[in-house]
Amino acid sequence: LERGQLAALVTVTVDEAALLVDRLGRFVPDADGVFVNGAPINSFSLGDVRSHIVVSEIEPRLFSGELRGELMPHGPVDDERIYDVLQATSSLDVLDALEDGLSTTVEERGRGFSGGQRQRLSLARAFLTNAETLILVEPTSAVDTHTEGRIAARLRKVRGEHTTLVATTSPLLLEKMDIVYLVLDGHVVDRGTHEELVARSLKYRQIVLREDV
């Protein structure tokens, strides 16, 4: 992955993507073959890895506590930045519905929010880490297509010059990527833009566009 890229990872199943993401984020003992700036990822302390590479899973959790604090896992962020990111994740409507706004107390596991609301708030939290490398797994799977389109359109602006890898099969997200990697049986079998892969890869069309053989 090049610095500042928006990249996507396409696999047949989410489980396959999760296995790769676990290695890229060093959540497994065996992360051989993963390099950061040319150095093996295992050569860095785990603290350094966690501070520079953030992984947001397909079912990220919300914990109990003040919402403002929930959205700032890596330290204080001013409210203006929080509002900007909530807009980028199409989450301002969630905030508007809360009587105490950012001071609202989140129930355990975020039970007061719907699945789509939890996913959008978790995505906002991931963006607010300002991670040098952010890895997202199906970050829009629980939202409708209109909301997904708005999030996809704002992804580049909110991530700025940082590197982002999205494991997804969503055409709305894939068409915004600089590069898409098609991975089958643990190997990169093709790479290119969404449009290029749609044009030349039947397997890609089967996975992403649900095209029949």
Side-chain angles (χ1 to χ4, degrees):
L1 300 175
E2 295 180 12
R3 189 181 302 276
Q5 262 190 340
L6 287 182
L9 170 68
V10 172
T11 56
V12 175
T13 67
V14 174
D15 288 344
E16 289 177 280
L19 289 172
L20 287 169
V21 166
D22 281 348
R23 293 186 66 221
L24 294 173
R26 203 176 131 186
F27 287 98
V28 292
D30 177 19
D32 291 340
V34 180
F35 296 85
V36 180
N37 294 330
I41 195 171
N42 288 330
S43 68
F44 297 93
S45 72
L46 196 56
D48 282 343
V49 172
R50 294 287 175 267
S51 65
H52 293 280
I53 302 174
V54 170
V55 176
S56 184
E57 299 175 342
I58 190 170
E59 295 182 356
R61 298 175 178 84
L62 290 177
F63 301 98
S64 58
E66 185 185 68
L67 178 59
R68 181 183 283 102
E70 280 283 306
L71 296 174
M72 301 186 299
H74 286 188
V77 178
D78 63 69
D79 284 2
E80 183 178 357
R81 172 61 176 165
I82 294 176
Y83 288 128
D84 285 345
V85 171
L86 289 175
Q87 181 181 33
T89 57
S90 204
S91 303
L92 284 177
D93 63 316
V94 181
L95 188 65
D96 290 342
L98 301 175
E99 185 175 346
D100 295 324
L102 290 173
S103 299
T104 298
T105 299
V106 177
E107 297 180 39
E108 186 178 358
R109 297 181 180 272
R111 287 181 305 209
F113 300 112
S114 69
Q117 290 173 332
R118 285 196 299 272
Q119 188 174 60
R120 283 181 283 157
L121 291 173
S122 297
L123 181 58
R125 179 179 62 190
F127 287 154
L128 285 166
T129 64
N130 207 33
E132 290 182 21
T133 300
L134 178 62
I135 303 174
L136 305 170
V137 181
E138 291 292 358
T140 56
S141 61
V143 303
D144 60 69
T145 54
H146 295 293
T147 302
E148 184 177 42
R150 289 193 294 270
I151 293 172
R154 297 163 180 165
L155 182 57
R156 188 177 301 278
K157 181 179 179 180
V158 76
R159 284 296 292 155
E161 298 180 355
H162 296 311
T163 306
T164 308
L165 176 66
V166 186
T168 185
T169 57
S170 163
L172 288 173
L173 288 172
L174 291 169
E175 65 184 12
K176 300 296 183 182
M177 299 293 146
D178 298 316
I179 188 167
V180 180
Y181 295 92
L182 175 60
V183 177
L184 301 176
D185 298 323
H187 299 278
V188 176
V189 298
D190 209 343
R191 71 188 72 189
T193 65
H194 171 65
E195 291 78 11
E196 289 168 345
L197 293 177
V198 166
R200 68 172 177 247
S201 173
L202 173 60
K203 190 63 178 180
Y204 185 80
R205 294 196 300 273
Q206 289 174 333
I207 298 170
V208 173
L209 304 181
R210 306 293 191 265
E211 184 176 296
D212 295 330
V213 178

